[in-house]
Amino acid sequence: MLGVRPLEAAEIEKLRAHLASHPLAARNVALFRLALQTGFRVAELLSLRLGDVVRDGEISRFLTVARRNMKRKVQSRTVPLRSSTREALGPYLTELAAQGYRMTDPLFPSPRFRTRAMTPANVWRIIHDAAHAAHCFGRIGTHSLRKTYAESAYAFFRAGPPEWGDPLMLTQRLLGHARVESTAHYLRIDEKAQEHFYQFAFGDPLGRSRLQ
């Protein structure tokens, strides 16, 4: 979503704690962790079926969103599921099994129609309300989770050895962006870094060129 911002580390914990206190805590925490730790768009996660995360009675170590359910429908995307993500999914999947959901049913079913998935608007309301209750201010929405994933990945690659390659390009691949410019728009530049850039480029912290 255009204009929303990533979450800070403290905000992630505050949102998680608030989601965990909700009557539908297992679902909300599972969705939050899955979005935050895989970088999938919410609409892509809502396309998943139970059988996409459960294999032979166990939670899969990898998650794939089919090409037809990706934003541009160019190719599928597969990511590993971290142990903390699988742990968050466990209680929720147990609840779904107890309620008689089948492997062909949506992983995140609608509150009203069990054979239909929740809508992105449903998820936006959950995240928005949690952010408000947790006193996390500013523009926060479902895409904040994907942007948080992007920033974490970029910071990790920047700290890595040069032989890994360009951090921006590596982050682009993780996100599945068609253009690196899209990835660049996700990443915030620290105000101090901007000031240093302006001074380096123009000789003036405010960006006024001495050539003018």
Side-chain angles (χ1 to χ4, degrees), residues 168-169 172 175 177-187:
L168 189 59
M169 303 275 295
Q172 176 197 5
L175 292 171
H177 280 155
R179 299 186 307 130
V180 73
E181 291 83 3
S182 299
T183 308
H185 289 158
Y186 269 50
L187 304 172

Side-chain angles (χ1 to χ4, degrees), residues 29-167:
V29 171
L31 181 53
F32 180 72
R33 282 295 186 194
L34 200 59
L36 192 65
Q37 296 181 353
T38 64
F40 279 116
R41 299 172 181 88
V42 164
E44 293 163 354
L45 291 177
L46 295 180
S47 73
L48 294 170
R49 303 281 165 176
L50 264 168
D52 292 321
V53 296
V54 177
R55 306 285 171 82
D56 299 322
E58 295 188 357
I59 301 175
S60 176
R61 293 182 176 273
F62 292 90
L63 179 65
T64 298
V65 171
R67 181 178 67 177
R68 66 181 178 276
N69 295 321
M70 295 295 291
K71 183 178 179 181
R72 300 191 184 280
K73 299 177 173 33
V74 175
Q75 62 182 12
S76 62
R77 179 169 169 250
T78 299
V79 300
L81 288 181
R82 294 168 55 179
S83 59
S84 58
T85 309
R86 298 197 305 275
E87 288 172 7
L89 280 168
Y92 176 58
L93 294 175
T94 299
E95 283 189 6
L96 291 181
Q99 295 169 24
Y101 281 91
R102 300 169 297 179
M103 292 296 105
T104 54
D105 287 330
L107 177 60
F108 297 105
S110 163
R112 296 179 59 190
F113 306 101
R114 63 186 296 152
T115 58
R116 298 181 190 176
M118 299 170 65
T119 67
N122 295 148
V123 183
W124 182 90
R125 175 57 62 187
I126 292 168
I127 299 300
H128 178 269
D129 289 352
H132 180 76
H135 303 290
C136 299
F137 303 110
R139 293 178 62 89
I140 295 176
T142 53
H143 223 56
S144 295
L145 306 180
R146 182 166 159 86
K147 287 189 173 184
T148 304
Y149 174 88
E151 281 205 339
S152 298
Y154 184 64
F156 175 77
F157 290 133
R158 282 190 65 186
E163 55 265 29
W164 282 3
D166 180 76

